[in-house]
Amino acid sequence: MKRLTELMKRRTAFSFELFPPKTDKGMEALPETIAHLCEFNPDYFSVTYGAGGTNVGKNMDVCRMVQDAGTIPVTHFTCIGNTREGIKEQLQNYLDNGVTNILALRGDLPFGWTGTGGDFAYATDLVAFVRKEFGDKFEIAVAGSPEGHIACRSLEADIAVLKQKQDNGADYIMTQLCWDMEQFKRWLDAIRRAGITMPVDVGVMPILDQAATINMALSRNGCVMDRALCEIISRNWIFPNPFVSDPYDADVEGKKARFKEAGMEYTVKQIDAYRSLGINGIHLYALNKWKDVSEIVRRAGMRTIV
Ligand code: FAD
């Protein structure tokens, strides 16, 4: 059953991403976070999957929490360190637990690795394998990179890969964060011209913390920060830089608060811009934080609290 794909063809979906916390304390706090976010009646929660399956058990626990809250879990699943047999086993386990939605990814290569260390090098192969082994039992999302994946030869090559994912049986796209709206529009036009008809569920990263924002943009994906975002960062720069644990800046707390406020406004405007393009879904990377994320959802008018 393609519940989310069908829904996205009818109206704009709305969802959150969670990650399995590392600590027991974090795990204990998560049901409350999910309950708060459920006040907005999200269509699903996606749950990240650690490199090499380091958090597989916790990933399933978080999927269960989402089910217990009465919502659909979408588990991320990667090729990292996974053999064909291992993939079959794990995916059967998800099915046995009622998890029928996956985001099929290559996965972030662990530090120092040059390949996936598993049977598949690319997400395209994983999608084809899941369809071959499990037929239509899973609804399959795949990643799309509006700025092009950092390792791709060209944006055209990356779009060809995305088309291959569709041809191999993927159902819809979840995008990498993209703050460059002009580039996003070019990409959206280009994928449609390439015959990619899958719904596009746009990943939105809330701007809440200076160091985290810069890290998110540059540590892996080479994402462009537009002038408005750069201004927010510069106006609230924590000296000597936002990465040190003992900054000498006299106004650290004030700058953090002003950065967060300006960042939330920026995020809301970004959601407006995406919605005005008629995209099929807004997927908020909730970072396991319900208070700030709820404020963004409220200000953006994504949902009326039920
Ligand atoms: P692919 O689609 O396989 O692409 C990887 C690169 O290889 C691209 O440059 C592509 O152009 C190229 N390529 C693909 N196929 C071929 C081919 N046949 N021949 C030649 N080149 C090819 N990572 C995690 O580890 N855990 C997570 O939970 C997670 N969640 C994510 C959620 C979202 C919404 C997104 C967008 C990403 C997430 N990631 C996660 C990161 C993702 O795993 C990385 O971006 C990874 O580097 C690429 O994954 P992919 O599925 O896009 O790879």
Side-chain angles (χ1 to χ4, degrees), residues 49-54 56 77-83 87 90 105-110 113 115-121 126:
Y49 180 96
T54 45
V56 168
F77 191 84
T78 77
C79 304
I80 306 295
N82 276 327
T83 59
I87 292 170
Q90 289 179 69
L105 299 155
R106 182 197 68 179
D108 281 326
L109 300 185
W113 290 34
T116 61
D119 282 347
F120 300 127
L126 178 61

Side-chain angles (χ1 to χ4, degrees), residues 48-49 76 103 105-108 122-123 149 151-152 158 161 165:
T48 65
Y49 180 96
H76 298 199
L103 169 60
L105 299 155
R106 182 197 68 179
D108 281 326
Y122 299 111
H149 182 265
C152 71
D158 213 36
V161 165
K165 291 181 185 179

Side-chain angles (χ1 to χ4, degrees), residues 29-194:
L30 203 54
E32 195 193 334
T33 300
I34 294 171
H36 281 291
L37 294 176
C38 276
E39 288 175 21
F40 297 102
N41 203 13
D43 296 304
Y44 73 88
F45 283 85
S46 81
V47 184
T48 65
Y49 180 96
T54 45
N55 63 1
V56 168
K58 282 186 176 168
N59 167 290
M60 182 63 89
D61 291 343
V62 177
C63 287
R64 268 194 218 103
M65 290 177 197
V66 172
Q67 287 170 327
D68 291 345
T71 310
I72 301 173
V74 174
T75 183
H76 298 199
F77 191 84
T78 77
C79 304
I80 306 295
N82 276 327
T83 59
R84 284 182 176 78
E85 274 315 300
I87 292 170
K88 263 168 73 174
E89 255 173 53
Q90 289 179 69
L91 291 185
Q92 187 57 52
N93 189 30
Y94 281 114
L95 280 183
D96 294 344
N97 283 278
V99 179
T100 57
N101 286 75
I102 64 167
L103 169 60
L105 299 155
R106 182 197 68 179
D108 281 326
L109 300 185
F111 189 68
W113 290 34
T114 50
T116 61
D119 282 347
F120 300 127
Y122 299 111
T124 41
D125 304 328
L126 178 61
V127 173
F129 180 74
V130 178
R131 275 288 172 252
K132 182 170 148 283
E133 293 297 326
F134 294 94
D136 273 343
K137 287 183 182 154
F138 284 102
E139 183 167 17
I140 306 177
V142 285
S145 301
E147 295 175 282
H149 182 265
I150 190 83
C152 71
R153 236 183 351 259
S154 63
L155 190 61
E156 288 74 19
D158 213 36
I159 290 172
V161 165
L162 195 54
K163 175 68 163 58
Q164 190 68 52
K165 291 181 185 179
Q166 175 174 288
D167 293 348
N168 288 3
D171 295 308
Y172 67 99
I173 301 166
M174 286 164 74
T175 66
Q176 186 56 267
L177 69 91
C178 177
W179 292 305
D180 182 346
M181 289 307 296
E182 292 309 311
Q183 174 56 29
F184 183 85
K185 287 180 208 167
R186 278 195 293 274
W187 175 80
L188 194 57
D189 285 347
I191 65 164
R192 295 309 185 212
R193 274 200 307 276

